[in-house]
mmCIF file of all heavy atoms in Angstrom:
data_model
loop_
_atom_site.group_PDB
_atom_site.id
_atom_site.type_symbol
_atom_site.label_atom_id
_atom_site.label_comp_id
_atom_site.label_asym_id
_atom_site.label_seq_id
_atom_site.Cartn_x
_atom_site.Cartn_y
_atom_site.Cartn_z
ATOM 1 N N GLY X 59 8.615 7.045 -1.966
ATOM 2 C CA GLY X 59 7.406 7.631 -2.301
ATOM 3 C C GLY X 59 7.452 8.873 -3.221
ATOM 4 O O GLY X 59 6.567 9.137 -4.029
ATOM 5 N N GLN X 60 8.582 9.484 -3.200
ATOM 6 C CA GLN X 60 8.758 10.740 -4.033
ATOM 7 C C GLN X 60 9.126 10.433 -5.457
ATOM 8 O O GLN X 60 9.028 11.311 -6.346
ATOM 9 C CB GLN X 60 9.819 11.672 -3.436
ATOM 10 C CG GLN X 60 9.486 12.393 -2.105
ATOM 11 C CD GLN X 60 10.550 13.354 -1.637
ATOM 12 O OE1 GLN X 60 11.648 13.320 -2.107
ATOM 13 N NE2 GLN X 60 10.103 14.250 -0.811
ATOM 14 N N VAL X 61 9.491 9.208 -5.797
ATOM 15 C CA VAL X 61 9.844 8.962 -7.114
ATOM 16 C C VAL X 61 9.059 7.719 -7.670
ATOM 17 O O VAL X 61 9.091 7.420 -8.970
ATOM 18 C CB VAL X 61 11.322 8.474 -7.225
ATOM 19 C CG1 VAL X 61 12.223 9.601 -6.745
ATOM 20 C CG2 VAL X 61 11.625 7.257 -6.432
ATOM 21 N N GLN X 62 8.158 7.200 -6.997
ATOM 22 C CA GLN X 62 7.396 6.049 -7.424
ATOM 23 C C GLN X 62 6.418 6.282 -8.620
ATOM 24 O O GLN X 62 6.050 5.457 -9.400
ATOM 25 C CB GLN X 62 6.536 5.420 -6.293
ATOM 26 C CG GLN X 62 5.540 6.343 -5.758
ATOM 27 C CD GLN X 62 4.679 5.598 -4.560
ATOM 28 O OE1 GLN X 62 5.055 4.507 -4.113
ATOM 29 N NE2 GLN X 62 3.806 6.324 -3.945
ATOM 30 N N GLU X 63 6.178 7.615 -8.832
ATOM 31 C CA GLU X 63 5.197 8.115 -9.842
ATOM 32 C C GLU X 63 6.024 8.261 -11.203
ATOM 33 O O GLU X 63 5.256 8.433 -12.221
ATOM 34 C CB GLU X 63 4.356 9.275 -9.508
ATOM 35 C CG GLU X 63 3.472 9.000 -8.412
ATOM 36 C CD GLU X 63 2.754 10.326 -7.951
ATOM 37 O OE1 GLU X 63 2.838 11.230 -8.747
ATOM 38 O OE2 GLU X 63 1.902 10.251 -7.030
ATOM 39 N N VAL X 64 7.298 8.389 -11.162
ATOM 40 C CA VAL X 64 7.962 8.776 -12.369
ATOM 41 C C VAL X 64 9.019 7.841 -12.968
ATOM 42 O O VAL X 64 9.391 7.893 -14.030
ATOM 43 C CB VAL X 64 8.740 10.150 -12.155
ATOM 44 C CG1 VAL X 64 7.756 11.331 -11.729
ATOM 45 C CG2 VAL X 64 9.876 10.007 -11.024
ATOM 46 N N CYS X 65 9.420 6.831 -12.018
ATOM 47 C CA CYS X 65 10.497 5.998 -12.489
ATOM 48 C C CYS X 65 9.930 4.721 -13.228
ATOM 49 O O CYS X 65 8.969 4.146 -12.935
ATOM 50 C CB CYS X 65 11.295 5.442 -11.230
ATOM 51 S SG CYS X 65 12.300 6.728 -10.455
ATOM 52 N N ASP X 66 10.641 4.403 -14.293
ATOM 53 C CA ASP X 66 10.461 3.117 -14.971
ATOM 54 C C ASP X 66 11.017 1.955 -14.267
ATOM 55 O O ASP X 66 10.495 0.913 -14.209
ATOM 56 C CB ASP X 66 10.958 3.201 -16.491
ATOM 57 C CG ASP X 66 10.282 4.267 -17.286
ATOM 58 O OD1 ASP X 66 9.112 4.261 -17.293
ATOM 59 O OD2 ASP X 66 11.027 5.242 -17.704
ATOM 60 N N ARG X 67 12.243 2.127 -13.754
ATOM 61 C CA ARG X 67 13.050 1.103 -12.999
ATOM 62 C C ARG X 67 13.700 1.813 -11.828
ATOM 63 O O ARG X 67 13.972 2.971 -11.896
ATOM 64 C CB ARG X 67 13.997 0.450 -13.814
ATOM 65 C CG ARG X 67 13.423 -0.547 -14.850
ATOM 66 C CD ARG X 67 14.523 -1.456 -15.481
ATOM 67 N NE ARG X 67 15.607 -0.687 -16.152
ATOM 68 C CZ ARG X 67 16.868 -0.804 -15.901
ATOM 69 N NH1 ARG X 67 17.224 -1.767 -14.973
ATOM 70 N NH2 ARG X 67 17.772 -0.042 -16.523
ATOM 71 N N VAL X 68 13.904 0.950 -10.813
ATOM 72 C CA VAL X 68 14.569 1.433 -9.594
ATOM 73 C C VAL X 68 15.572 0.481 -9.219
ATOM 74 O O VAL X 68 15.449 -0.733 -9.287
ATOM 75 C CB VAL X 68 13.442 1.555 -8.473
ATOM 76 C CG1 VAL X 68 14.063 1.750 -7.051
ATOM 77 C CG2 VAL X 68 12.421 2.710 -8.769
ATOM 78 N N GLY X 69 16.733 1.033 -8.667
ATOM 79 C CA GLY X 69 17.820 0.330 -8.016
ATOM 80 C C GLY X 69 17.862 0.757 -6.603
ATOM 81 O O GLY X 69 17.896 1.981 -6.307
ATOM 82 N N ILE X 70 17.975 -0.110 -5.641
ATOM 83 C CA ILE X 70 18.073 0.292 -4.090
ATOM 84 C C ILE X 70 19.336 -0.102 -3.640
ATOM 85 O O ILE X 70 19.831 -1.361 -3.806
ATOM 86 C CB ILE X 70 16.916 -0.482 -3.350
ATOM 87 C CG1 ILE X 70 15.572 -0.117 -3.909
ATOM 88 C CG2 ILE X 70 16.963 -0.131 -1.935
ATOM 89 C CD1 ILE X 70 14.461 -0.840 -3.258
ATOM 90 N N MET X 71 20.124 0.866 -3.262
ATOM 91 C CA MET X 71 21.478 0.657 -2.609
ATOM 92 C C MET X 71 21.469 0.672 -1.157
ATOM 93 O O MET X 71 20.623 1.406 -0.488
ATOM 94 C CB MET X 71 22.371 1.756 -3.106
ATOM 95 C CG MET X 71 22.675 1.673 -4.688
ATOM 96 S SD MET X 71 23.880 2.904 -5.117
ATOM 97 C CE MET X 71 25.463 2.329 -4.255
ATOM 98 N N ALA X 72 22.379 -0.015 -0.511
ATOM 99 C CA ALA X 72 22.551 -0.076 0.993
ATOM 100 C C ALA X 72 24.071 -0.403 1.200
ATOM 101 O O ALA X 72 24.554 -1.404 0.659
ATOM 102 C CB ALA X 72 21.601 -1.082 1.642
ATOM 103 N N ARG X 73 24.679 0.287 1.985
ATOM 104 C CA ARG X 73 26.054 0.080 2.369
ATOM 105 C C ARG X 73 26.975 -0.067 1.164
ATOM 106 O O ARG X 73 27.778 -0.895 1.066
ATOM 107 C CB ARG X 73 26.133 -1.178 3.311
ATOM 108 C CG ARG X 73 25.394 -1.020 4.630
ATOM 109 C CD ARG X 73 25.288 -2.361 5.293
ATOM 110 N NE ARG X 73 24.529 -3.329 4.554
ATOM 111 C CZ ARG X 73 23.184 -3.333 4.454
ATOM 112 N NH1 ARG X 73 22.479 -2.483 5.152
ATOM 113 N NH2 ARG X 73 22.622 -4.241 3.738
ATOM 114 N N GLY X 74 26.734 0.759 0.165
ATOM 115 C CA GLY X 74 27.472 0.821 -1.112
ATOM 116 C C GLY X 74 27.215 -0.364 -2.076
ATOM 117 O O GLY X 74 27.853 -0.354 -3.095
ATOM 118 N N GLU X 75 26.201 -1.094 -1.775
ATOM 119 C CA GLU X 75 25.949 -2.286 -2.715
ATOM 120 C C GLU X 75 24.468 -2.171 -3.272
ATOM 121 O O GLU X 75 23.638 -1.562 -2.585
ATOM 122 C CB GLU X 75 26.162 -3.595 -2.038
ATOM 123 C CG GLU X 75 27.581 -3.791 -1.616
ATOM 124 C CD GLU X 75 27.719 -5.227 -0.948
ATOM 125 O OE1 GLU X 75 27.486 -5.329 0.261
ATOM 126 O OE2 GLU X 75 27.988 -6.200 -1.664
ATOM 127 N N MET X 76 24.239 -2.718 -4.466
ATOM 128 C CA MET X 76 22.878 -2.776 -5.014
ATOM 129 C C MET X 76 22.274 -3.977 -4.325
ATOM 130 O O MET X 76 22.641 -5.185 -4.501
ATOM 131 C CB MET X 76 22.971 -2.952 -6.580
ATOM 132 C CG MET X 76 21.595 -3.038 -7.088
ATOM 133 S SD MET X 76 20.809 -1.387 -7.188
ATOM 134 C CE MET X 76 21.786 -0.596 -8.565
ATOM 135 N N VAL X 77 21.032 -3.754 -3.636
ATOM 136 C CA VAL X 77 20.431 -4.844 -2.903
ATOM 137 C C VAL X 77 19.188 -5.314 -3.657
ATOM 138 O O VAL X 77 18.694 -6.459 -3.487
ATOM 139 C CB VAL X 77 20.110 -4.378 -1.475
ATOM 140 C CG1 VAL X 77 21.378 -4.281 -0.645
ATOM 141 C CG2 VAL X 77 19.282 -3.143 -1.374
ATOM 142 N N ARG X 78 18.454 -4.378 -4.328
ATOM 143 C CA ARG X 78 17.362 -4.691 -5.112
ATOM 144 C C ARG X 78 17.335 -3.914 -6.388
ATOM 145 O O ARG X 78 17.680 -2.779 -6.372
ATOM 146 C CB ARG X 78 16.037 -4.547 -4.319
ATOM 147 C CG ARG X 78 15.895 -5.439 -3.131
ATOM 148 C CD ARG X 78 15.470 -6.757 -3.546
ATOM 149 N NE ARG X 78 14.188 -6.785 -4.198
ATOM 150 C CZ ARG X 78 13.079 -6.871 -3.689
ATOM 151 N NH1 ARG X 78 12.823 -6.667 -2.425
ATOM 152 N NH2 ARG X 78 11.896 -7.027 -4.543
ATOM 153 N N GLU X 79 16.768 -4.440 -7.415
ATOM 154 C CA GLU X 79 16.621 -3.719 -8.775
ATOM 155 C C GLU X 79 15.409 -4.286 -9.586
ATOM 156 O O GLU X 79 15.131 -5.499 -9.533
ATOM 157 C CB GLU X 79 17.860 -3.757 -9.546
ATOM 158 C CG GLU X 79 17.874 -2.845 -10.822
ATOM 159 C CD GLU X 79 19.119 -2.783 -11.593
ATOM 160 O OE1 GLU X 79 19.763 -3.903 -11.610
ATOM 161 O OE2 GLU X 79 19.469 -1.755 -12.150
ATOM 162 N N GLY X 80 14.607 -3.387 -10.164
ATOM 163 C CA GLY X 80 13.523 -3.847 -10.976
ATOM 164 C C GLY X 80 12.599 -2.708 -11.209
ATOM 165 O O GLY X 80 12.762 -1.554 -10.796
ATOM 166 N N SER X 81 11.412 -3.074 -11.889
ATOM 167 C CA SER X 81 10.411 -2.024 -11.980
ATOM 168 C C SER X 81 9.642 -1.920 -10.658
ATOM 169 O O SER X 81 9.767 -2.730 -9.760
ATOM 170 C CB SER X 81 9.348 -2.531 -13.072
ATOM 171 O OG SER X 81 8.701 -3.674 -12.588
ATOM 172 N N LEU X 82 8.929 -0.794 -10.451
ATOM 173 C CA LEU X 82 8.209 -0.509 -9.220
ATOM 174 C C LEU X 82 7.251 -1.703 -8.968
ATOM 175 O O LEU X 82 7.039 -2.080 -7.854
ATOM 176 C CB LEU X 82 7.513 0.784 -9.346
ATOM 177 C CG LEU X 82 8.503 1.919 -9.081
ATOM 178 C CD1 LEU X 82 7.735 3.319 -9.334
ATOM 179 C CD2 LEU X 82 8.974 2.022 -7.660
ATOM 180 N N ASP X 83 6.541 -2.141 -10.001
ATOM 181 C CA ASP X 83 5.605 -3.278 -9.886
ATOM 182 C C ASP X 83 6.213 -4.476 -9.311
ATOM 183 O O ASP X 83 5.778 -5.260 -8.381
ATOM 184 C CB ASP X 83 4.863 -3.574 -11.125
ATOM 185 C CG ASP X 83 3.778 -2.488 -11.557
ATOM 186 O OD1 ASP X 83 3.387 -1.714 -10.598
ATOM 187 O OD2 ASP X 83 3.445 -2.475 -12.725
ATOM 188 N N GLU X 84 7.425 -4.774 -9.812
ATOM 189 C CA GLU X 84 8.178 -5.985 -9.313
ATOM 190 C C GLU X 84 8.658 -5.858 -7.911
ATOM 191 O O GLU X 84 8.656 -6.768 -7.234
ATOM 192 C CB GLU X 84 9.312 -6.185 -10.236
ATOM 193 C CG GLU X 84 9.053 -6.611 -11.702
ATOM 194 C CD GLU X 84 10.237 -6.571 -12.580
ATOM 195 O OE1 GLU X 84 11.263 -5.896 -12.262
ATOM 196 O OE2 GLU X 84 10.125 -7.194 -13.673
ATOM 197 N N LEU X 85 9.106 -4.616 -7.560
ATOM 198 C CA LEU X 85 9.536 -4.380 -6.226
ATOM 199 C C LEU X 85 8.489 -4.289 -5.139
ATOM 200 O O LEU X 85 8.727 -4.665 -3.936
ATOM 201 C CB LEU X 85 10.388 -3.133 -6.176
ATOM 202 C CG LEU X 85 11.724 -3.221 -7.092
ATOM 203 C CD1 LEU X 85 12.387 -1.833 -6.989
ATOM 204 C CD2 LEU X 85 12.676 -4.306 -6.549
ATOM 205 N N THR X 86 7.335 -3.828 -5.471
ATOM 206 C CA THR X 86 6.279 -3.518 -4.525
ATOM 207 C C THR X 86 5.217 -4.636 -4.377
ATOM 208 O O THR X 86 4.417 -4.628 -3.525
ATOM 209 C CB THR X 86 5.634 -2.153 -4.741
ATOM 210 O OG1 THR X 86 5.030 -2.159 -6.109
ATOM 211 C CG2 THR X 86 6.628 -1.027 -4.663
ATOM 212 N N ALA X 87 5.245 -5.488 -5.446
ATOM 213 C CA ALA X 87 4.129 -6.538 -5.420
ATOM 214 C C ALA X 87 4.411 -7.557 -4.237
ATOM 215 O O ALA X 87 5.535 -7.780 -3.906
ATOM 216 C CB ALA X 87 4.180 -7.337 -6.673
ATOM 217 N N ILE X 88 3.276 -7.927 -3.593
ATOM 218 C CA ILE X 88 3.328 -8.884 -2.540
ATOM 219 C C ILE X 88 3.240 -10.279 -3.195
ATOM 220 O O ILE X 88 2.124 -10.544 -3.874
ATOM 221 C CB ILE X 88 2.195 -8.597 -1.415
ATOM 222 C CG1 ILE X 88 2.336 -7.263 -0.907
ATOM 223 C CG2 ILE X 88 2.272 -9.828 -0.393
ATOM 224 C CD1 ILE X 88 1.315 -6.907 0.082
ATOM 225 N N GLU X 89 4.137 -11.145 -3.000
ATOM 226 C CA GLU X 89 4.102 -12.393 -3.652
ATOM 227 C C GLU X 89 2.971 -13.208 -3.043
ATOM 228 O O GLU X 89 2.619 -13.227 -1.919
ATOM 229 C CB GLU X 89 5.443 -13.205 -3.405
ATOM 230 C CG GLU X 89 6.616 -12.476 -4.114
ATOM 231 C CD GLU X 89 7.844 -13.273 -3.970
ATOM 232 O OE1 GLU X 89 7.773 -14.256 -3.378
ATOM 233 O OE2 GLU X 89 8.903 -12.766 -4.447
ATOM 234 N N ARG X 90 2.425 -14.015 -3.991
ATOM 235 C CA ARG X 90 1.331 -15.047 -3.667
ATOM 236 C C ARG X 90 -0.038 -14.461 -3.239
ATOM 237 O O ARG X 90 -0.829 -15.086 -2.674
ATOM 238 C CB ARG X 90 1.819 -16.082 -2.499
ATOM 239 C CG ARG X 90 3.002 -16.820 -2.913
ATOM 240 C CD ARG X 90 3.476 -17.575 -1.724
ATOM 241 N NE ARG X 90 2.513 -18.488 -1.129
ATOM 242 C CZ ARG X 90 2.448 -18.727 0.151
ATOM 243 N NH1 ARG X 90 3.374 -18.470 1.086
ATOM 244 N NH2 ARG X 90 1.448 -19.630 0.536
ATOM 245 N N GLN X 91 -0.173 -13.077 -3.589
ATOM 246 C CA GLN X 91 -1.486 -12.461 -3.199
ATOM 247 C C GLN X 91 -1.893 -11.681 -4.322
ATOM 248 O O GLN X 91 -1.154 -11.102 -5.141
ATOM 249 C CB GLN X 91 -1.281 -11.444 -2.058
ATOM 250 C CG GLN X 91 -0.998 -12.184 -0.669
ATOM 251 C CD GLN X 91 -1.137 -11.194 0.451
ATOM 252 O OE1 GLN X 91 -1.654 -10.139 0.383
ATOM 253 N NE2 GLN X 91 -0.575 -11.649 1.651
ATOM 254 N N THR X 92 -3.248 -11.704 -4.592
ATOM 255 C CA THR X 92 -3.879 -10.953 -5.587
ATOM 256 C C THR X 92 -4.970 -10.124 -5.049
ATOM 257 O O THR X 92 -5.827 -10.583 -4.240
ATOM 258 C CB THR X 92 -4.500 -11.934 -6.632
ATOM 259 O OG1 THR X 92 -3.536 -12.757 -7.228
ATOM 260 C CG2 THR X 92 -5.194 -11.145 -7.832
ATOM 261 N N GLU X 93 -5.123 -8.785 -5.534
ATOM 262 C CA GLU X 93 -6.038 -7.837 -4.948
ATOM 263 C C GLU X 93 -7.089 -7.582 -6.016
ATOM 264 O O GLU X 93 -6.839 -7.267 -7.126
ATOM 265 C CB GLU X 93 -5.294 -6.587 -4.609
ATOM 266 C CG GLU X 93 -6.166 -5.474 -3.891
ATOM 267 C CD GLU X 93 -5.482 -4.266 -3.436
ATOM 268 O OE1 GLU X 93 -4.993 -3.577 -4.276
ATOM 269 O OE2 GLU X 93 -5.367 -4.184 -2.184
#
């Protein structure tokens, strides 16, 4: 939440590995739904 307004792209790490990467829209969008 502290970086969602400034980042162009985001990489998410867990246990030393990259688990997700992409733009905020790509990472936060809910698949198969339109608002």
Side-chain angles (χ1 to χ4, degrees):
Q60 290 188 339
V61 299
Q62 64 182 359
E63 296 179 3
V64 300
C65 291
D66 298 303
R67 289 192 302 127
V68 167
I70 302 177
M71 295 184 65
R73 299 171 297 279
E75 298 181 273
M76 184 73 75
V77 293
R78 295 285 302 277
E79 187 179 33
S81 69
L82 283 170
D83 286 342
E84 293 171 342
L85 294 176
T86 58
I88 301 176
E89 295 183 1
R90 300 173 56 206
Q91 292 190 14
T92 302
E93 184 175 67

